[in-house]
């Protein structure tokens, strides 16, 4: 995968794409389809549930996505994106639109293939919980930590916490919504405040859409910590940060595991000889 050397930020990557440095002129690329996906779920055997809302933009065969808080996307945002050129959307006032447009463009020019550093992992057909657990194994397998280490989990997903527990890893759950985990643990809301007491970071791609990604990446880079991203939001964006504070990415472009009971895939990237850069 073509990457940018030096310490990269989200805004710097977006600027390079707008300048046409990483592929064809984005002003000549138009979004054919824009849509949102809304979901509510409570897995069998789980005491808590959650909701998702995702903005997705289609560019050619690529679909770029950005999750938003349910109800936060203004009416009319989808219509504004349809038929618009990518350069215009990369300058849109709404950050989730910029993220989805950047994701669509980068997936269009560097799809999730072995030639671009991706290692595909299969998700078997099954219930939503079975597929969630299979994805969790693919994500947590990218962490290289001894038992007893503590992981900051930004974006609480109970299957990820369950998999960490099964591997003898401790965690600090963090989510802007706060609340409690499935096991009654308090969820902190300030990720950076909790990062100092953690050995590694496990970060949702949703951090791109709410503007918290760069500070977490800078913390990992400055303290020599692993940062593994699990990305439905920005699945083609986050691999660009490998070596710039991100050590590995589990990329999951649309359609996501929770949309279909059939078999699926995720794409894993890592720094080093086995992939990613």
């Amino acid at each position: 995968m073509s990457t940018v050397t030096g310490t990269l930020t989200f805004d710097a990557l977006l600027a390079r794409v707008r300048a046409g440095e990483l592929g064809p002129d984005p002003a000549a690329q138009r979004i054919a389809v824009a849509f949102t996906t809304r979901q509510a779920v409570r897995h069998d055997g789980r005491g808590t549930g959650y909701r998702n809302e995702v903005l997705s933009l289609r560019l050619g065969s690529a679909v770029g996505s950005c999750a938003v808080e349910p109800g936060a996307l203004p009416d009319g945002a989808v219509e504004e994106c349809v038929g618009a050129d990518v350069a215009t959307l990369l300058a849109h006032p709404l950050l989730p639109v910029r993220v989805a447009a950047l994701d669509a463009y980068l997936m269009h020019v560097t799809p999730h293939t072995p030639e671009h550093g991706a290692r595909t992992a299969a998700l078997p057909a099954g219930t939503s919980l079975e597929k969630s657990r299979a994805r969790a194994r693919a994500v947590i397998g990218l962490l290289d930590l001894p038992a007893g280490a503590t992981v900051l989990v930004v974006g609480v997903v109970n299957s990820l916490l369950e998999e960490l527990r099964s591997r003898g890893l401790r965690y600090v759950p963090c989510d802007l919504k706060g609340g409690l985990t499935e096991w009654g643990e308090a969820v902190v809301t300030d990720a950076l405040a909790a990062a100092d007491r953690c050995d590694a970071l496990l970060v949702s791609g949703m951090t791109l859409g709410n503007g918290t990604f760069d500070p977490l990446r800078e913390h990992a880079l400055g303290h020599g910590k692993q940062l593994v991203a699990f990305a439905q939001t920005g699945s083609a964006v986050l691999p660009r940060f490998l070596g710039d504070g991100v050590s590995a990415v589990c990329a999951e472009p649309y359609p996501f595991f929770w949309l279909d009971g059939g078999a699926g895939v995720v794409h894993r990237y890592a720094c080093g000889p086995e992939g990613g850069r």
Side-chain angles (χ1 to χ4, degrees):
M1 173 175 289
S2 172
T3 52
V4 184
T5 59
T7 300
L8 185 64
T9 66
F10 173 80
D11 284 342
L13 177 60
L14 189 145
R16 294 205 65 180
V17 170
R18 289 185 67 192
E21 296 180 17
L22 299 181
D25 182 1
Q29 310 294 312
R30 292 193 175 273
I31 297 300
V33 180
F35 58 98
T36 58
T37 306
R38 295 181 180 180
Q39 175 227 29
V41 62
R42 178 173 291 184
H43 297 304
D44 287 345
R46 291 271 170 85
T48 58
Y50 57 90
R51 295 175 59 204
N52 286 316
E53 184 171 343
V54 183
L55 170 68
S56 297
L57 307 178
R58 182 162 186 168
L59 176 63
S61 61
V63 177
S65 297
C66 182
V68 298
E69 289 300 318
L73 199 66
D75 291 340
V78 170
E79 287 77 10
E80 290 177 10
C81 295
V82 175
D85 66 80
V86 173
T88 296
L89 297 182
L90 292 175
H92 196 280
L94 293 176
L95 178 56
V97 172
R98 301 198 299 274
V99 171
L102 182 62
D103 192 32
Y105 179 90
L106 291 176
M107 200 176 312
H108 180 63
V109 299
T110 49
H112 296 301
T113 62
E115 293 77 13
H116 297 127
R119 294 174 292 145
T120 298
L123 297 183
T127 67
S128 60
L129 181 56
E130 288 167 341
K131 293 188 74 173
S132 179
R133 284 171 167 163
R135 185 191 71 151
R137 290 190 292 271
V139 172
I140 303 304
L142 291 168
L143 284 166
D144 182 16
L145 294 169
T150 301
V151 181
L152 176 65
V153 182
V154 184
V156 172
V157 178
N158 284 320
S159 291
L160 294 177
L161 304 185
E162 182 181 54
E163 185 65 20
L164 289 169
R165 292 162 72 98
S166 76
R167 297 181 185 224
L169 294 169
R170 301 172 181 172
Y171 54 80
V172 176
C174 179
D175 198 288
L176 291 175
K177 293 184 290 291
L180 300 174
T181 71
E182 182 71 19
W183 299 272
E185 301 147 327
V187 176
V188 304
T189 57
D190 189 334
L192 277 179
D196 284 335
R197 54 191 171 104
C198 297
D199 303 301
L201 287 68
L202 183 64
V203 175
S204 167
M206 284 188 70
T207 56
L208 288 170
N210 63 28
T212 61
F213 169 71
D214 272 329
L216 293 167
R217 179 195 58 76
E218 290 166 3
H219 175 89
L221 188 65
H223 293 82
K225 296 179 181 179
Q226 295 173 56
L227 187 158
V228 171
F230 54 102
Q232 293 177 343
T233 292
S235 77
V237 176
L238 285 164
R240 294 279 175 164
F241 292 92
L242 288 165
D244 281 293
V246 174
S247 54
V249 177
C250 185
E252 186 184 359
Y254 196 95
F256 312 127
F257 79 86
W258 38 265
L259 284 166
D260 189 289
V265 297
V266 293
H267 308 280
R268 305 202 308 170
Y269 296 80
C271 293
E274 293 189 356
R277 256 178 108 78

